[in-house]
Amino acid sequence: MLTGPDPATDERPATADRLPLRRRLLPVLALLLIAPWAAECSWGGFAIDGFLPVVIGLAPMYGGAAILIRETARRLGAGWPAIVLLAAAFGVLQAGLVDQSLFNPGYLDDTQYADTRAAAEATLVPGLGFSLRQAFDYVGNHILLTICAPIVFVESFLGEQRRLRPWLGRPGLAVVAVVYLLGSLLIFSSPEGRKNFLAGPLQLTFAAVLVLALVAAALLPFWRHPRPRLTEPPSAGRTRRARRAPHPLWAAALIILARFGTDLTPGWAGVAIALALAAAVAAVIAYLSSRDGWGQRHVLAAGSASVVSAAAFAYLVPPYSAASPAAALAGDIAVSVVTVALVGGAWWRLAAPRPTMLRAGRGPRSRPE
């Protein structure tokens, strides 16, 4: 964590900021809209005429989940490991229990991705009837695109005093929870959402247990840390200079490298490589985040890398449904414009001069934020 009030001088609970309602709701609304756009549009999934219906239709589910995950982690004083675990739980919940695409072998048959079915079936898990390759892609994209990147964008636009604080009180959280449940129910009951498929009892039980396990892991006290202070503790007694974090672009390069490496080869070997790369990059990022100088610019670089790489390849992939070349190209250009606006605007916001706030309570062995 980078900034925040000193617990010794600020005894107020970490609830919604004491600001006018409009200012308190602005980041909530931004996250509500950015999450569905990043999840479904940022990689070229829809032509330009599909953007608005997708964002509005999926905002309650995708945006609602992003808000609830972000608020839960910030209220607990937990950092990014907890957010990633909760995002993984959402990915399993979404693909395994809501639209059930994880267990439906024909889920993409009515799209322009019907030819991916054979590759997916090459990594079927015996007894559970789902593709480990698809599970990695579905859950991984929900972690990176649906949850983490939108949270990073919105928090980067905020000032340091609001970035790591909750935005909503309990009534607001209750409203968002209801909105999320209604949005999920709509997808579950819609022919276009679940496509009239219902997974078997064993499959549903497996998904539910995995969701609960991931949520339980995310809520462990291990991920929580003391609220930060505005000043760094005395450095007396230090015998050697702490190692500095690398340039933020190195964090982005690691994420992009991992995304490229996940498609090196098909089949079980490809899944093994993808899982190993993801674990290695996560470990390196966790290690680097404990170094001196790691800040929100590093978080922005790492969090936005997945959207930047997805937007770059949007020109090479078809949308779900057939569209005219003009509409598809317009959608890809719009993706580039929105991505540049989000990344560039957030970077500019972080580069604006502000009083320096130093971290405290984060030694070389501290848990990553």
Side-chain angles (χ1 to χ4, degrees):
M1 294 178 64
L2 300 178
T3 64
D6 189 338
T9 60
D10 189 347
E11 299 297 333
R12 292 181 301 174
T15 57
D17 292 339
R18 305 305 193 265
L19 292 170
L21 182 62
R22 177 181 59 83
R23 291 192 62 189
R24 281 188 283 137
L25 290 182
L26 188 59
V28 176
L29 293 175
L31 187 52
L32 190 71
L33 298 177
I34 293 175
W37 176 85
E40 299 292 350
C41 301
S42 66
W43 54 273
F46 289 88
I48 186 67
D49 55 352
F51 278 25
L52 188 59
V54 166
V55 169
I56 294 177
L58 296 180
M61 183 174 60
Y62 287 161
I67 294 167
L68 291 173
I69 288 172
R70 190 264 173 199
E71 291 296 287
T72 298
R74 297 316 184 199
R75 280 174 167 268
L76 293 176
W80 280 101
I83 293 177
V84 169
L85 287 170
L86 289 173
F90 165 74
V92 176
L93 176 65
Q94 171 64 30
L97 298 175
V98 179
D99 65 33
Q100 302 187 14
S101 56
L102 184 61
F103 302 115
N104 184 356
Y107 190 79
L108 297 176
D109 284 355
D110 59 348
T111 73
Q112 296 199 93
Y113 292 89
D115 58 350
T116 63
R117 181 170 180 172
E121 291 179 344
T123 57
L124 283 179
V125 177
L128 289 172
F130 73 89
S131 166
L132 192 58
R133 171 80 253 182
Q134 280 188 333
F136 179 86
D137 292 338
Y138 289 170
V139 177
N141 284 333
H142 278 310
I143 293 172
L144 296 175
L145 297 178
T146 309
I147 306 299
C148 291
I151 292 175
V152 167
F153 285 136
V154 178
E155 288 190 342
S156 297
F157 273 95
L158 296 177
E160 292 173 305
Q161 293 294 339
R162 298 185 64 203
R163 185 174 300 142
L164 302 179
R165 285 184 175 273
W167 300 331
L168 295 172
R170 291 181 180 177
L173 285 175
V175 170
V176 174
V178 171
V179 168
Y180 165 72
L181 290 174
L182 291 176
S184 298
L185 181 61
L186 178 64
I187 296 299
F188 177 82
S189 59
S190 169
E192 293 79 17
R194 189 165 47 88
K195 300 188 177 180
N196 299 315
F197 172 86
L198 186 62
L202 180 61
Q203 294 172 322
L204 296 175
T205 301
F206 169 78
V209 170
L210 185 54
V211 169
L212 292 175
L214 289 168
V215 171
L219 298 181
L220 289 174
F222 178 78
W223 306 120
R224 306 177 194 180
H225 39 69
R227 293 172 67 190
R229 296 192 293 270
L230 298 180
T231 57
E232 194 171 52
S235 58
R238 292 182 181 174
T239 58
R240 60 181 180 179
R241 186 176 180 181
R243 302 187 69 178
R244 297 283 298 176
H247 191 278
L249 291 182
W250 282 107
L254 286 172
I255 301 295
I256 293 175
L257 175 65
R259 287 187 66 86
F260 286 165
T262 58
D263 294 321
L264 287 177
T265 184
W268 290 102
V271 173
I273 292 173
L275 290 172
L277 270 175
V281 170
V284 172
I285 292 290
Y287 168 70
L288 294 178
S289 71
S290 68
R291 289 187 173 187
D292 273 2
W294 180 276
Q296 187 62 23
R297 280 193 246 185
H298 294 82
V299 175
L300 173 62
S304 63
S306 57
V307 175
V308 171
S309 59
F313 280 89
Y315 294 88
L316 303 179
V317 301
Y320 280 119
S321 301
S324 68
L329 179 60
D332 296 338
I333 293 174
V335 164
S336 298
V337 171
V338 174
T339 301
V340 169
L342 288 172
V343 177
W347 193 269
W348 172 82
R349 174 71 172 167
L350 293 173
R354 293 190 186 91
T356 301
M357 302 292 184
L358 299 178
R359 296 182 299 176
R362 296 277 311 281
R365 296 178 181 270
S366 62
R367 291 183 293 277
E369 161 57 4

